[in-house]
Amino acid sequence: MKILVTGGTGYIGSHTVVELQKQGHKVVIVDNLSNSHRDVLHQIEKISGVKPDFEELDLVDIAKTGDFFNRNRDISGIIHFAAFKAVGESVADPLMYYRNNLFSLVNILQNMKDKGIKNLVFSSSCTVYGQPDKLPVAEDAPVQMAMSPYGNTKQISEEVIQDTAKVTDINAVMLRYFNPIGAHESALIGELPLGVPNNLVPFITQTAIGIRKQLSVFGEDYNTPDGTAIRDYIHVVDLAKAHVIAIDRMIEENQKKKVEIFNLGTGNGFSVLEVIKSFEKVSGEKLNYKIVERRPGDVEQVFADTRFANDELGWKAQKSLDEMMLSAWNWEKELMLKTKN
Ligand code: UD1
């Protein structure tokens, strides 16, 4: 089965390509390389033994996207990752986010409709829940007003997919990720943040390796056991595996509804300080950090009710926090070696 992975040279995309190939799928990647490198294709090949087909393409471009689909008539499913994802940047330039994240989705759906491609896995986020009233948060929890244009693009995208699925043959699985971290055990692929990372784990590893001076812990006055905010961190390979199950479920026509939504998390919440402790334990490094003010827009705590994904997909995240932090650290060290050579 040939699967199109948009954003397949990116962080979650590249790990998903490897898992798809492992399960015998043929993969074609499209990516505009705005936040990833062509070299990732070689790294994928080193892991799986197969170089995925690749096309550099901006999915916002209607003509080029149409042309791509005309030339690739044998696609059985699409996993759509390609999107901008920096919260702060989206606040500064909302139009860039709405244009990129929404126009590309509309173009993909139009081509799916025109060419009879039925199966779409969409990369959504737990950000749609805001601060949920009930924890762990289940898929039927209300979607709350988005805190940023980035978050809003995820909410609007979900609605665009729902509306389109109602009146076409298109089926979708929307996966709401909690906090993906870590890297492939080979340390050949991982997260490549451009500039100063916004996310906690790359900031921790970059601080420990000496790229950043100090980590700021955003707030210790939350209503949590140690006062720092709580998230559900999930290993990127566990996350990638769920995508393969989701696309197979659609191809094998095992869906119970035209559009299904699943939470992808471990179900366990960890505080920022617990993440730091885990990192220090597995790396043997002492982390330089200080407590600062809360970061505007952050929620206090969120972690997933994973029962629906566990039962329906037969999928469960396997990796512990320590394993996640160790893989993130090994990746950071590998990157450092690469830059030195
Ligand atoms: C963020 C986005 C979320 C997006 C996800 C994509 C916000 C409000 N949310 O999730 O919408 O889907 O990234 O990757 O930006 N922290 C520190 N110091 C740091 C960085 C983070 O203390 O330097 C804390 C944060 O306050 C938070 C936790 O670490 O409590 C995780 O932060 P982060 O990795 O940025 O993820 P989210 O904010 O949960």
Side-chain angles (χ1 to χ4, degrees):
M1 289 292 178
K2 183 158 150 191
I3 309 295
L4 166 61
V5 181
T6 78
T9 47
Y11 174 44
I12 305 172
S14 56
H15 289 83
T16 301
V17 170
V18 167
E19 296 306 315
L20 283 166
Q21 291 176 323
K22 258 195 186 166
Q23 297 306 317
H25 290 292
K26 191 167 159 32
V27 176
V28 55
I29 295 175
V30 303
D31 202 301
N32 66 1
L33 301 176
S34 63
N35 191 20
S36 61
H37 298 278
R38 199 179 279 274
D39 176 56
V40 169
L41 300 168
H42 294 115
Q43 305 298 94
I44 291 173
E45 187 181 5
K46 276 190 213 159
I47 299 171
S48 69
V50 185
K51 193 168 180 193
D53 287 345
F54 172 75
E55 194 152 322
E56 187 174 342
L57 172 68
D58 191 335
L59 292 156
V60 172
D61 188 318
I62 296 177
K64 287 190 181 146
T65 302
D67 177 58
F68 169 82
F69 280 98
N70 281 333
R71 284 183 287 104
N72 289 270
R73 293 283 182 163
D74 54 344
I75 291 169
S76 3
I78 302 177
I79 307 183
H80 178 42
F81 293 105
F84 292 156
K85 58 162 191 178
V87 175
E89 189 182 58
S90 79
V91 175
D93 196 344
L95 292 179
M96 179 168 106
Y97 271 67
Y98 289 120
R99 183 183 309 111
N100 187 67
N101 292 5
L102 299 179
F103 288 14
S104 56
L105 175 67
V106 171
N107 282 344
I108 289 169
L109 289 168
Q110 184 69 56
N111 280 284
M112 290 180 76
K113 182 177 169 226
D114 295 346
K115 273 100 194 170
I117 303 170
K118 279 195 192 152
N119 306 313
L120 176 71
V121 175
F122 179 68
S123 168
S124 190
S125 167
C126 73
T127 191
V128 302
Y129 298 121
Q131 177 60 67
D133 294 335
K134 222 175 94 193
L135 284 169
V137 61
E139 289 83 351
D140 59 0
V143 166
Q144 304 219 34
M145 212 180 107
M147 301 287 274
S148 69
Y150 157 73
N152 210 16
T153 66
K154 291 295 176 196
Q155 294 192 5
I156 298 169
S157 294
E158 287 198 0
E159 289 171 9
V160 170
I161 292 168
Q162 293 275 15
D163 290 344
T164 309
K166 268 184 214 150
V167 294
T168 62
D169 287 339
I170 297 170
N171 304 315
V173 172
M174 310 206 278
L175 300 175
R176 292 178 175 163
Y177 314 152
F178 283 67
N179 288 55
I181 62 168
H184 195 266
E185 59 177 1
S186 62
L188 289 166
I189 51 173
E191 195 171 2
L192 282 166
L194 276 187
V196 185
N198 296 305
N199 295 117
L200 177 64
V201 173
F203 208 107
I204 288 178
T205 55
Q206 287 196 6
T207 304
I209 211 139
I211 301 172
R212 313 274 154 219
K213 261 210 176 93
Q214 190 174 48
L215 169 79
S216 296
V217 173
F218 298 135
E220 61 164 354
D221 55 351
Y222 285 109
N223 187 19
T224 60
D226 66 22
T228 61
I230 289 177
R231 296 287 182 274
D232 184 339
Y233 298 91
I234 173 164
H235 195 281
V236 65
V237 173
D238 279 332
L239 195 70
K241 288 179 176 161
H243 290 75
V244 183
I245 295 171
I247 200 78
D248 285 347
R249 178 181 173 89
M250 278 191 282
I251 291 169
E252 290 158 13
E253 300 186 358
N254 287 332
Q255 273 193 292
K256 302 226 167 106
K257 286 200 312 195
K258 278 194 71 97
V259 180
E260 295 180 317
I261 300 177
F262 296 102
N263 281 343
L264 296 184
T266 64
N268 303 314
F270 288 102
S271 73
V272 178
L273 290 180
E274 284 174 318
V275 173
I276 294 172
K277 264 192 215 119
S278 164
F279 173 77
E280 289 183 329
K281 184 172 96 186
V282 298
S283 68
E285 301 284 326
K286 183 97 196 72
L287 192 74
N288 181 20
Y289 70 89
K290 66 163 189 271
I291 311 281
V292 302
E293 290 290 289
R294 292 181 181 195
R295 179 170 69 178
D298 272 352
V299 299
E300 180 171 281
Q301 47 181 320
V302 62
F303 46 95
D305 184 331
T306 61
R307 281 176 300 180
F308 190 54
N310 298 160
D311 296 347
E312 276 298 318
L313 299 178
W315 165 92
K316 202 172 180 359
Q318 302 293 331
K319 302 259 194 216
S320 68
L321 182 62
D322 286 352
E323 288 171 305
M324 298 186 221
M325 297 311 289
L326 183 60
S327 71
W329 181 230
N330 287 340
W331 168 242
E332 189 68 64
K333 288 192 291 188
E334 190 62 32
L335 280 180
M336 184 53 93
L337 278 179
K338 262 198 199 165
T339 38
K340 278 187 180 152
N341 290 333

